[in-house]
């Protein structure tokens, strides 16, 4: 070193130590100043440099310093490149070290934490509550904040943006982030979004904390999460969420297909671009569990799958089908009975597919055409989200009462969009014969008149008059025919021009009630007495009237003769 009394330059370094160039000088009035620079100090792929640094001290008081550190190298769980960290602060034997006593701009060229790669950004860091950002006396303490944080980069190969209204970091003490907004993927329906009103945590061997006021969407999944809250932790490159709760809603265009459901005790793990989550969904008002859901999503591929298990769903006074979906309104109400099944939803980019199989061992409900009892069987959905089934689904029906009860039926149908039912075959044993619903399509998407036509074969006349409560008549014979039934938009049903005709050789009709008439002579008297028993060769029965009121039965017969007795 060349020296000039109270001033001098110096150079140090060699044998693997960093090279320092410096100048030392006494200052007027006492004290001294030190100015130095350190060239790149390289160890492996890490670099550390001190392009400028000054250290000053008056005749008394603390040592004050300022400078700039540049660095690149490994971090716990990641790496940083092109870090430029201004140094500013003081040190004294009485007060220890204080680093960062005023707002300071910090910048980096690139930052990697686990799967998160951030592009270069300049961030202004400020001390909190009048303290230094880092202080050390007997132990280390930190307290720094920033506002309007905005970072961009990628995660798992997908573009990512991270923003926050405010960040406060203390050690020891809580981390607090307010107004956090995370977006992963290109803009559009396939983008993953997460927003949190507040996230808090503590830094130590692992990062742990809580979050609240969250909302989010995951890729192209047509569901949205709201009112999110829970606990989080970050360790060994993995983010974990436990004891979480949220509200699940439908985000498909148009009217939501299902009512909001609550999740409790949900969990999630995010590592290596892979998200795995589990949750149990409940109906909020009844607290009935609706389904258990497990999910996997690959952020890099923007693809994943959700599996849905329905194991203990039971409809009853506390929970009706219309409480879960508006699609049931006007179709099904007052349901009672169990439903079980499995379903899945898969997505890749903006393409979403779903399927499922659900069954009941006995479901009762009210329908627009009358009460249904004992519906059982299994239904396979080719589009579960749209409630669309495969063709030729078959169910058994204990009973349907449209005004005349029919038992032990079988129906073959296909469902489209939850509200269009194409019935290809439906049949019931009926009064010792068979009742068959002719193929029809029922559209419940808009209030409208519904028309059904039933074909009847082999009906026993004696059973018919008993079922119709025609107490003054006794009829024998076997009949075939058809009965059109119409339901208006309010669900009121009526029979329109139903016609039954007797099979050969006919049968007998007898009026067994009281005959009240005036004496009209021998011929008329004979005719009325003949009504006590007439054999017929041909008979037709015309039916008209309301299913909830009176059905008028008109009997026409020909080829008659006096019956027995």
């Amino acid at each position: 070193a060349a020296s000039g009394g109270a001033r001098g330059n110096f150079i140090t370094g060699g044998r693997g130590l960093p090279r320092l160039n410096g100048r030392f000088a006494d200052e007027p009035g006492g004290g001294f100043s030190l100015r130095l620079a350190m060239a790149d100090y390289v160890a492996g792929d890490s670099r550390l440099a001190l392009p400028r640094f000054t250290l000053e001290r008056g005749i008394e008081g603390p040592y004050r310093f300022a400078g700039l550190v540049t660095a690149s190298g490994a971090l716990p769980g990641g790496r940083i490149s092109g870090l430029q960290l201004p140094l500013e602060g003081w040190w004294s034997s009485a007060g220890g070290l204080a680093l960062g006593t005023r707002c300071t701009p910090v910048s980096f060229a690139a930052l990697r934490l686990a799967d998160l790669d951030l592009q270069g950004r300049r961030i202004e860091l400020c001390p909190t509550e009048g303290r230094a950002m880092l202080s050390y006396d007997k132990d280390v303490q930190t307290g720094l904040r920033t506002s309007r944080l905005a970072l961009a980069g990628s995660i798992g190969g997908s573009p990512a943006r991270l923003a926050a209204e405010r960040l406060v970091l203390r050690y020891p003490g809580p981390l607090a982030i307010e107004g956090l907004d995370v977006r992963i993927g290109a803009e559009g329906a396939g983008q993953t979004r997460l927003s949190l009103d507040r996230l808090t945590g503590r830094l130590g061997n692992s990062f742990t904390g809580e979050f609240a006021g969250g909302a989010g969407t995951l890729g192209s999944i047509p569901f949205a999460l709201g009112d999110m809250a829970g606990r989080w932790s970050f360790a060994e490159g993995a983010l974990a969420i436990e004891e979480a709760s949220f509200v699940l809603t439908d985000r498909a265009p148009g009217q939501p297909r299902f009512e909001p459901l609550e999740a409790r005790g949900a969990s999630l793990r995010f590592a290596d671009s892979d998200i795995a989550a589990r949750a149990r969904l409940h109906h909020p008002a009844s607290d009935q569990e609706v389904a258990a859901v497990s999910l996997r999503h690959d952020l890099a591929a923007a693809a994943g799958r959700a599996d849905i298990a329905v194991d203990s769903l039971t409809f009853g006074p506390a929970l009706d089908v219309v409480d879960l979906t508006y699609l049931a309104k006007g179709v099904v109400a007052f349901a009672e009975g169990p439903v079980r099944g499995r379903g899945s939803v898969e997505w890749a980019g903006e393409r979403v597919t779903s399927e499922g199989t659900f069954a009941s061992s006995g479901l009762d409900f009210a329908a627009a055409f009358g009460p249904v009892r004992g519906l059982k069987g299994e239904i396979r959905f080719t589009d579960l989200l749209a409630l669309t089934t495969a063709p030729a689904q078959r169910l058994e029906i204990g009973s349907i009462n449209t005004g005349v009860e029919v038992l032990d039926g079988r129906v073959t149908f296909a469902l489209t969009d939850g509200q269009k039912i194409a019935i290809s075959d439906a049949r019931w044993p009926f009064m010792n014969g068979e009742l068959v619903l002719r193929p029809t399509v029922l559209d419940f998407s808009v209030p409208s008149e519904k028309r059904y036509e039933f074909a009847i074969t082999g009906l026993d006349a004696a059973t018919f008059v008993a079922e119709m409560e025609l107490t003054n008549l006794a009829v024998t014979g076997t009949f075939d025919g058809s009965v059109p039934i119409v339901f208006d938009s309010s669900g009121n049903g009526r029979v329109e021009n139903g016609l039954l005709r007797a099979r050969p050789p006919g049968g007998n009709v007898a009026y067994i009630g009281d005959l009240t008439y005036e004496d009209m002579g021998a011929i008329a008297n004979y005719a009325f007495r003949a009504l006590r028993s007439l054999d017929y060769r041909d008979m037709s029965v015309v039916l008209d009237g309301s299913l909830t009121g009176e059905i008028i039965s008109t009997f026409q017969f020909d080829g008659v003769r006096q019956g027995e007795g």
Side-chain angles (χ1 to χ4, degrees):
S3 63
R7 296 177 182 273
N9 300 326
F10 63 87
I11 299 174
T12 68
R15 294 189 177 184
L17 296 176
R19 180 181 178 87
L20 293 171
N21 294 317
R23 178 178 178 80
F24 176 86
D26 286 331
E27 297 298 335
F32 73 92
S33 65
L34 172 67
R35 291 172 173 79
L36 59 86
M38 184 182 80
D40 277 356
Y41 180 44
V42 181
D45 61 353
S46 296
R47 293 174 176 269
L48 178 68
L50 197 65
R52 62 179 185 273
F53 183 81
T54 63
L55 176 67
E56 298 176 343
R57 186 175 188 247
I59 194 169
E60 60 183 25
Y63 294 88
R64 297 189 178 277
F65 57 86
L68 176 68
V69 172
T70 64
S72 296
L75 295 172
R79 180 179 177 82
I80 193 166
S81 300
L83 172 67
Q84 295 195 8
L85 175 64
L87 298 177
E88 175 275 325
W90 54 265
W91 179 87
S92 71
S93 58
L97 174 68
L99 176 63
T101 62
R102 59 177 180 266
C103 292
T104 301
V106 177
S107 63
F108 60 88
L111 174 64
R112 179 179 179 85
L113 292 172
D115 288 333
L116 175 64
D117 288 294
L118 295 177
Q119 301 167 356
R121 186 65 62 175
R122 181 178 182 271
I123 304 170
E124 186 174 75
L125 300 179
C126 297
T128 62
E129 302 164 353
R131 302 167 57 184
M133 284 184 267
L134 184 146
S135 60
Y136 177 75
D137 186 6
K138 295 180 180 180
D139 51 29
V140 176
Q141 292 186 335
T142 62
L144 59 90
R145 62 180 174 85
T146 185
S147 58
R148 298 189 181 279
L149 179 68
L151 301 172
S154 65
I155 186 167
S158 299
R161 289 187 297 161
L162 186 151
E165 296 178 2
R166 185 169 180 263
L167 181 148
V168 178
L169 174 63
R170 297 182 181 91
Y171 180 84
L175 160 73
I177 303 177
E178 297 177 357
L180 178 65
D181 184 76
V182 179
R183 302 192 178 195
I184 303 172
E187 289 288 342
Q191 187 179 61
T192 294
R193 301 182 180 184
L194 172 67
S195 63
L196 297 175
D197 291 345
R198 184 172 178 82
L199 181 145
T200 60
R202 287 188 171 274
L203 307 182
N205 294 331
S206 63
F207 301 159
T208 62
E210 299 178 345
F211 61 92
T217 58
L218 187 60
S220 298
I221 304 178
F223 310 134
L225 308 182
D227 295 336
M228 298 170 61
R231 302 183 60 83
W232 66 272
S233 63
F234 183 82
E236 298 180 354
L239 172 67
I241 293 176
E242 300 290 342
E243 301 176 21
S245 62
F246 59 84
V247 174
L248 181 74
T249 57
D250 184 13
R251 69 182 180 110
Q255 186 171 356
R257 293 165 295 187
F258 62 88
E259 298 298 322
L261 298 171
E262 288 184 354
R264 303 166 202 159
S267 63
L268 177 146
R269 188 177 187 277
F270 173 39
D272 299 327
S273 187
D274 183 68
I275 296 174
R278 293 179 179 274
R280 290 188 174 273
L281 303 176
H282 295 253
H283 176 248
S286 67
D287 200 34
Q288 165 103 230
E289 181 180 310
V290 175
V293 178
S294 60
L295 175 149
R296 295 192 72 93
H297 180 73
D298 185 341
L299 281 173
R305 173 187 175 101
D307 292 306
I308 304 164
V310 176
D311 294 322
S312 58
L313 178 59
T314 301
F315 294 107
L319 178 65
D320 198 2
V321 181
V322 293
D323 295 329
L324 298 181
T325 173
Y326 85 95
L327 294 171
K329 189 174 183 180
V331 182
V332 176
F334 307 115
E336 292 190 6
V339 172
R340 67 183 188 283
R342 296 287 186 273
S344 64
V345 182
E346 295 188 38
W347 55 91
E350 297 188 8
R351 180 175 176 268
V352 180
T353 59
S354 62
E355 63 177 3
T357 301
F358 293 85
S360 178
S361 58
L363 190 65
D364 302 340
F365 57 89
F369 46 78
V372 177
R373 299 285 181 266
L375 181 73
K376 59 184 179 180
E378 186 176 86
I379 301 176
R380 184 170 71 86
F381 291 91
T382 55
D383 188 341
L384 180 60
L385 295 177
L387 291 180
T388 296
T389 70
Q393 300 300 295
R394 292 180 176 85
L395 292 175
E396 296 180 7
I397 305 173
S399 71
I400 295 180
N401 193 335
T402 61
V404 176
E405 187 176 32
V406 290
L407 307 173
D408 301 325
R410 302 183 308 278
V411 59
T412 303
F413 69 99
L415 178 65
T416 303
D417 296 331
Q419 293 193 306
K420 292 183 179 179
I421 305 174
I423 299 176
S424 56
D425 184 71
R427 57 188 63 233
W428 296 260
F430 187 62
M431 300 181 186
N432 294 334
E434 188 175 47
L435 177 70
V436 178
L437 175 62
R438 298 192 191 280
T440 186
V441 176
L442 307 178
D443 187 353
F444 294 96
S445 60
V446 293
S448 62
E449 188 177 75
K450 309 292 189 299
R451 290 182 172 269
Y452 313 78
E453 184 172 348
F454 291 93
I456 296 176
T457 57
L459 178 146
D460 177 66
T463 306
F464 173 76
V465 295
E467 291 283 347
M468 300 298 289
E469 298 182 353
L470 305 176
T471 56
N472 289 333
L473 282 180
V475 182
T476 64
T478 301
F479 287 75
D480 304 308
S482 63
V483 180
I485 296 181
V486 180
F487 286 90
D488 62 22
S489 57
S490 299
N492 300 311
R494 65 185 186 275
V495 177
E496 282 191 352
N497 298 318
L499 177 62
L500 303 176
R501 299 206 61 164
R503 293 180 181 177
N508 177 269
V509 59
Y511 184 82
I512 57 178
D514 294 332
L515 292 175
T516 57
Y517 62 94
E518 295 181 1
D519 187 344
M520 293 183 291
I523 298 301
N525 292 344
Y526 177 81
F528 277 99
R529 285 194 301 271
L531 291 176
R532 291 296 186 183
S533 180
L534 285 177
D535 291 335
Y536 65 87
R537 184 181 66 250
D538 181 59
M539 176 184 287
S540 61
V541 182
V542 179
L543 304 173
D544 282 288
S546 170
L547 292 176
T548 56
E550 288 189 343
I551 296 179
I552 306 301
S553 305
T554 303
F555 293 82
Q556 298 175 343
F557 47 88
D558 196 5
V560 297
R561 64 180 180 176
Q562 184 66 59
E564 183 178 351

